[in-house]
Amino acid sequence: TSKAAHRSVDSVCPYCGVGCQLKFQIGRDEAGEEKIVAVEGSPGPANENRLCVKGRFGFDYVKHPHRLTKPLIRKPGAPAKGLNVDPANWQTHFREATWDEALDAAAGGLAKLRGFYGGRSISGLGSAKCSNEEAYLFQKLIRQGFGHNNVDHCTRLCHASSVAALMENVGSGAVTATFNEIENADIAIAIGCNPTENHPVAATYFKQFTKRGGELIVMDPRGQGLKRHATHMLQFRPGTDVAMLNAIMNVIVEEKLYDRNYVEGFTEGFFQLREHLKGFPPEKMAEVCGIDAETLRTVARKFATAKAGMIFWGMGVSQHIHGTDNSRCLISLALLCGQVGRPGTGLHPLRGQNNVQGASDAGLIPMVLPDYQPVKDESVRELFRSIWDGTEIDPTPGLTTVEMIDAIYRGQIRGMYILGENPAMSDPDVDHARDALAKLDHLVVQDIFLTETANFADVILPASAWPEKTGTVTNTNRQVQMGRKALEAPGEAKEDWWITVQLARRLGLNWGYQHPSEVFGEMKMSMNSLKNITWGRLEAEGAVTYPSLTPDDPGQAVVFGDGFPRPGGRAKFTPAKVTPPAEVPDHEYPMILTTGRQLEHWHTGSMTRRASVLDWAEPEAHASLHPKTLRRLGVAPGERVEVRTRRGAISIAARADRAVAEDMVFIPFAYVEAAANILTNPQLDPYGKIPEFKFSACAVAPA
Ligand code: SF4
């Protein structure tokens, strides 16, 4: 294969929320077809030429022989729906169809259910891997085409609880400062996040920060790569975040280290918080969280007295039944110390997927329309009525991702349109979710591969991979960036926005979009966040951070220096009480299972396990256990263990890992052959409706 490139295309990485800008180098394969022969980092605002292994080597999935190249329709008499389709031999279950035939079948099946059971019998899952324009169209299709708000995406499995707490207490779900602001900080707390694996380019900024003397405090029940750069590593007991953080705030309040002027000028609810924190003395909480009182006091004093401090968090904070309470504590901690709104200060939940921020901003959420405008608000519905040809918006919030699965069991949901999401791998208690998908009367799946979820489809619509389309995406930093088409899609595969438009037309909607730029133009009519950001600017500048205050402003890295988008401009303290995990270890299930990602594989593995370098680096599922635990079990590294919870059991190779506590097991969720989510607990946080992926009681035994 020639490695020579004859042209290059500027775009954005499709993996994590860092949103690295990159250059696709395009050459040709032996048959003369264009392909990506190399990828280079570009000087984007988030990455300044850096890329991680996924961004550099993770793209040959686009040419994988498993790519869907023609629409497929389930054959009459095909085997019963289940996880039973071989992606290389799908002809046993599906037949090829023309686009007209497949779109008629997809829309026809949904329209039939709408006619017989009503629009609420349909729900939609959009994708944080598609563009902002595609996310906007998807939620519009569900709301306008079916008359309700049963539309969601993977934010529900990711940072929904963080967003709930941020909306409640600072009035905005986005970060208050870019992660690059760490270069202006003196101290940073990284809690429940593992950037060296999950946000690797962001991690390079964390490391630079410590090299120039910044104090990094890592809080994580599991050891991790940032540990050796940290001045303090608080390896607290899983699920005890609230106890630990309240104890830290107790010290700050009792020792009067809080920023009194800031608290008086910019917040409300301090007195209730102060009373609440009296119940969390560090000596008492040390017994709960496993961190000694002196360390809690030291960390509290350092954070409160630093000139500029930031707080970063990830799914270790959000994926609990008390995920919203965890985030409330972090917000209160920053507000108490006045560590918001200035250079080097801020709250930053590190976003997972490349466009989970943008898809959320675009309204792919059941409670809110674009820009988090509540469906319950009549003036908001009136705004969208005026933009969407008089469409009446349902004032009732819709169902969330996990709630949709239960609604299928109740017979309330009978049809689904799923774009680029893979609930047959990503949902908690995934056997329960798979059985639900099999019960649907009509399932339309739009994707680039015949995913585990597509196994259950009635119609499969072949879509474009990220390098095969043009559109905007928004990263964890609120940077709206332009992704540009680098390759033609294989066979008859089409761009996602085009497919959604064709379905909408067949469902009776008067949609005439010809290009994503027209969709972006419509988004600007209702989204204040896009003020001063135009398609033309994004084409010329590559990225603009919102809010952008003038047509020339590259955007504000730090926000809320002069108050918050809440009544009176004040942020709020919401005291958080200690809630035990939904399932505590007992005699039968004595260990704690936690799940997550790993550097080489992305989410359910549909792309990275088909990228040859990444698959070579991590070809097999593994469960990480402490060497002492393995010795106690009589299992050598590489041998198999059975991990069992109340939901099910998997057999998986064991890996020795000193970073994991002795009563814990960590399993990445990318591997279908040992699917971690067969084990996970579907109990939800009551506010963010996010499941407790980070804590399930489990038993481990030699397999
Ligand atoms: Fe892509 Fe994230 Fe890696 Fe950047 S850090 S190259 S956005 S996966």
Side-chain angles (χ1 to χ4, degrees):
T1 302
S2 166
K3 283 274 178 201
H6 57 270
R7 63 187 180 93
S8 65
V9 178
D10 292 314
S11 192
V12 185
C13 176
Y15 289 110
C16 89
V18 171
C20 295
Q21 286 194 9
L22 46 73
K23 208 179 264 298
F24 292 121
Q25 298 290 357
I26 308 298
R28 294 191 189 282
D29 63 17
E30 293 86 348
E33 287 230 345
E34 286 199 319
K35 62 179 266 188
I36 296 167
V37 293
V39 181
E40 292 166 9
S42 299
N47 64 315
E48 299 172 298
N49 299 308
R50 305 167 207 194
L51 291 177
C52 79
V53 66
K54 288 191 289 292
R56 203 168 287 284
F57 300 113
F59 285 97
D60 50 347
Y61 75 90
V62 302
K63 293 288 183 187
H64 195 279
H66 287 173
R67 278 295 299 275
L68 293 166
T69 56
K70 286 197 170 182
L72 304 179
I73 294 179
R74 185 169 286 273
K75 279 178 172 174
K81 286 183 181 177
L83 193 57
N84 54 10
V85 186
D86 175 356
N89 188 25
W90 46 263
Q91 291 85 348
T92 49
H93 292 63
F94 298 97
R95 67 171 175 84
E96 290 181 347
T98 64
W99 268 107
D100 271 341
E101 201 183 357
L103 288 166
D104 284 347
L110 296 174
K112 195 168 151 192
L113 292 172
R114 178 179 64 182
F116 197 76
Y117 296 106
R120 282 179 203 283
S121 64
I122 312 292
S123 72
L125 286 178
S127 176
K129 299 223 76 62
C130 287
S131 68
N132 290 327
E133 297 73 38
E134 288 165 341
Y136 177 88
L137 288 181
F138 191 90
Q139 59 86 35
K140 181 175 177 181
L141 171 70
I142 299 295
R143 291 183 157 122
Q144 195 176 39
F146 300 104
H148 60 72
N149 299 298
N150 290 342
V151 60
D152 207 355
H153 76 296
C154 70
T155 188
R156 197 64 44 205
L157 308 175
C158 167
H159 263 307
S161 51
S162 310
V163 172
L166 286 164
M167 293 292 290
E168 170 187 53
N169 297 295
V170 300
S172 162
V175 299
T176 73
T178 64
F179 67 76
N180 313 73
E181 270 302 308
I182 198 170
E183 69 183 38
N184 296 316
D186 301 305
I187 194 165
I189 293 175
I191 174 168
C193 57
N194 189 355
T196 51
E197 298 268 332
N198 299 327
H199 301 86
V201 166
T204 64
Y205 289 85
F206 284 55
K207 292 174 197 167
Q208 271 181 343
F209 158 77
T210 59
K211 273 197 188 129
R212 64 158 182 77
E215 288 215 57
L216 178 63
I217 296 167
V218 177
M219 302 173 175
D220 197 331
R222 194 174 149 226
Q224 52 152 288
L226 282 183
K227 182 176 173 178
R228 67 192 175 92
H229 303 273
T231 39
H232 295 274
M233 172 75 198
L234 277 58
Q235 205 159 342
F236 61 100
R237 289 198 187 107
T240 62
D241 316 52
V242 169
M244 179 179 69
L245 295 167
N246 276 348
I248 289 170
M249 286 193 281
N250 168 293
V251 174
I252 292 169
V253 172
E254 292 296 317
E255 297 188 7
K256 300 201 170 19
L257 300 174
Y258 59 95
D259 184 337
R260 195 168 161 178
N261 287 339
Y262 190 85
V263 168
E264 283 178 4
F266 289 100
T267 70
E268 63 184 43
F270 173 69
F271 295 107
Q272 292 92 317
L273 180 73
R274 189 177 67 183
E275 284 308 302
H276 180 73
L277 292 174
K278 285 180 180 163
F280 295 87
E283 284 71 20
K284 200 167 148 200
M285 290 306 107
E287 294 164 20
V288 180
C289 66
I291 304 298
D292 65 88
E294 206 37 50
T295 302
L296 295 172
R297 287 186 191 284
T298 304
V299 166
R301 289 168 190 152
K302 286 195 166 181
F303 189 73
T305 57
K307 275 204 233 102
M310 293 187 74
I311 301 179
F312 297 91
W313 71 97
M315 256 115 273
V317 163
S318 62
Q319 290 175 335
H320 287 279
I321 59 160
H322 48 83
T324 304
D325 278 330
N326 291 348
S327 293
R328 285 170 173 157
C329 289
L330 296 172
I331 295 164
S332 292
L333 176 58
L335 293 174
L336 266 185
C337 305
Q339 301 287 26
V340 180
R342 291 176 289 114
T345 69
L347 292 158
H348 192 118
L350 285 152
R351 304 295 160 143
Q353 298 252 27
N354 69 322
N355 199 33
V356 72
Q357 181 66 57
S360 302
D361 295 345
L364 217 50
I365 298 183
M367 312 84 184
V368 293
L369 286 145
D371 254 3
Y372 308 92
Q373 300 176 81
V375 295
K376 286 182 174 171
D377 186 328
E378 166 55 25
S379 63
V380 168
R381 296 199 303 277
E382 175 54 37
L383 171 67
F384 282 89
R385 203 179 293 136
S386 69
I387 300 171
W388 291 358
D389 298 331
T391 298
E392 291 298 334
I393 309 285
D394 182 359
T396 312
L399 296 170
T400 60
T401 300
V402 180
E403 290 172 329
M404 287 178 193
I405 294 296
D406 291 329
I408 297 171
Y409 278 94
R410 292 195 301 272
Q412 181 185 341
I413 292 200
R414 293 178 170 268
M416 284 186 81
Y417 173 25
I418 300 179
L419 191 172
E421 295 255 304
N422 196 4
M425 277 291 285
S426 59
D427 266 33
D429 190 5
V430 78
D431 276 343
H432 178 76
R434 290 169 183 171
D435 288 347
L437 294 172
K439 287 181 193 302
L440 287 169
D441 294 339
H442 189 65
L443 173 61
V444 179
V445 173
Q446 180 172 322
D447 215 309
I448 62 173
F449 293 114
L450 208 156
T451 60
E452 289 75 16
T453 299
N455 274 241
F456 298 85
D458 295 281
V459 182
I460 302 175
L461 304 172
S464 303
W466 177 246
E468 296 160 357
K469 61 187 174 188
T470 291
T472 69
V473 281
T474 307
N475 69 359
T476 189
N477 280 346
R478 297 182 262 105
Q479 283 147 351
V480 187
Q481 309 200 82
M482 180 61 77
R484 295 176 181 84
K485 182 171 176 168
L487 292 172
E488 291 301 326
E492 296 176 21
K494 300 281 191 194
E495 296 188 25
D496 290 275
W497 71 268
W498 181 90
I499 302 171
T500 303
V501 168
Q502 305 314 308
L503 282 176
R505 287 185 183 153
R506 282 169 170 80
L507 286 161
L509 304 180
N510 180 26
W511 286 17
Y513 308 103
Q514 299 291 327
H515 190 270
S517 59
E518 293 167 29
V519 183
F520 189 84
E522 182 179 311
M523 291 166 69
K524 283 174 62 63
M525 294 165 78
S526 63
M527 295 177 67
N528 204 34
S529 61
L530 297 179
K531 193 171 174 192
N532 295 317
I533 305 179
T534 61
W535 188 269
R537 268 193 85 180
L538 292 172
E539 280 194 320
E541 298 170 40
V544 180
T545 306
Y546 74 74
S548 165
L549 304 184
T550 67
D552 303 322
D553 177 17
Q556 302 295 303
V558 178
V559 292
F560 307 149
D562 52 0
F564 295 88
R566 290 195 74 254
R570 287 173 179 273
K572 185 171 132 196
F573 292 110
T574 300
K577 61 181 189 329
V578 171
T579 308
E583 204 178 57
V584 286
D586 57 16
H587 181 67
E588 198 180 355
Y589 297 101
M591 293 184 63
I592 300 163
L593 166 72
T594 188
T595 65
R597 301 199 302 252
Q598 60 187 131
L599 172 63
E600 293 81 2
H601 286 305
W602 188 254
H603 280 209
T604 64
S606 55
M607 291 151 56
T608 50
R609 295 197 76 194
R610 293 178 173 101
S612 50
V613 171
L614 303 175
D615 184 49
W616 166 82
E618 280 288 1
E620 274 177 13
H622 61 270
S624 296
L625 291 135
H626 195 279
K628 282 189 189 164
T629 312
L630 287 178
R631 274 200 295 280
R632 179 171 55 75
L633 292 168
V635 172
E639 289 181 356
R640 298 189 81 77
V641 289
E642 184 195 71
V643 184
R644 175 177 292 281
T645 68
R646 290 183 173 84
R647 272 71 56 193
I650 61 171
S651 168
I652 186 168
R655 178 177 284 181
D657 186 348
R658 286 181 194 284
V660 179
E662 287 176 41
D663 60 350
M664 199 183 214
V665 52
F666 169 79
I667 305 180
F669 63 95
Y671 300 87
V672 64
E673 64 275 26
N677 281 323
I678 286 176
L679 308 171
T680 49
N681 191 344
Q683 291 300 310
L684 301 181
D685 170 282
Y687 307 98
K689 304 283 180 77
I690 192 167
E692 191 150 63
F693 287 120
K694 288 290 185 276
F695 199 117
S696 304
C698 72
V700 184

